């Protein structure tokens, strides 16, 4: 993996999705440019809002893959009323090969779907 992955993973352990994205981009040889001021934002939603804001679009459209309880989606939609968002999560009753009913967080379960769809 390239230096971008190691830089991000060393400084942003609270953002595993960013580390995963950087690792995938590096493995696929897709150049990634991450602004240094992103390092100081304390929440993933703050990073997404900053990146969406830089697009200067009136009604941006985005997809969130892995919605879970829709906390990120809710915060994005509250902060950007013109945002159009497609949330994707299978809610298959399983997560990482473990039945949702056996997980303390019920991740991937029908209960979580009902929370996210409100």
């Amino acid at each position: 993996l390239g230096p971008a992955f190691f830089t991000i993973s060393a400084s942003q352990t609270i953002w595993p999705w960013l580390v995963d994205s950087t690792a995938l981009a590096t493995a696929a040889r897709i150049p990634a440019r991450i602004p240094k001021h992103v390092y100081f934002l304390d929440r993933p939603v703050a990073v997404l809002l900053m990146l969406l804001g830089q697009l200067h679009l009136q009604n941006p459209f985005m997809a969130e893959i892995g919605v879970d309880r829709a906390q990120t989606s809710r915060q994005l939609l509250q902060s950007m009323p013109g945002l159009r968002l497609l949330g994707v999560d299978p809610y298959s009753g399983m997560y990482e090969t473990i039945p949702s009913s056996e997980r303390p967080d019920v991740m991937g379960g029908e209960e979580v779907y009902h929370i996210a769809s409100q």
Side-chain angles (χ1 to χ4, degrees):
L1 298 175
F5 171 75
F6 293 109
T7 300
I8 295 298
S9 64
S11 62
Q12 300 300 336
T13 57
I14 62 167
W15 297 341
W17 60 271
L18 185 56
V19 173
D20 292 346
S21 299
T22 305
L24 288 172
T26 302
R29 298 178 190 258
I30 299 170
R33 298 179 72 194
I34 299 172
K36 291 207 183 273
H37 58 276
V38 168
Y39 298 154
F40 302 104
L41 297 173
D42 62 347
R43 300 172 300 134
V45 170
V47 174
L48 293 171
L49 288 170
M50 187 265 314
L51 293 172
L52 286 167
Q54 288 181 350
L55 295 175
H56 304 291
L57 299 173
Q58 282 191 329
N59 297 308
F61 176 80
M62 69 172 283
E64 180 183 0
I65 312 300
V67 175
D68 189 32
R69 289 174 171 78
Q71 294 165 325
T72 301
S73 300
R74 188 174 299 111
Q75 291 176 36
L76 287 170
L77 291 167
Q78 287 172 348
S79 298
M80 294 186 78
L83 176 66
R84 296 170 296 141
L85 188 139
L86 170 66
V88 179
D89 208 317
Y91 301 107
S92 62
M94 300 280 286
Y95 188 79
E96 295 182 343
T97 70
I98 300 171
S100 300
S101 59
E102 295 177 15
R103 296 178 55 88
D105 59 5
V106 297
M107 179 120 21
E110 189 174 323
E111 304 88 2
V112 178
Y113 168 76
H114 291 296
I115 292 168
S117 60
Q118 293 178 358

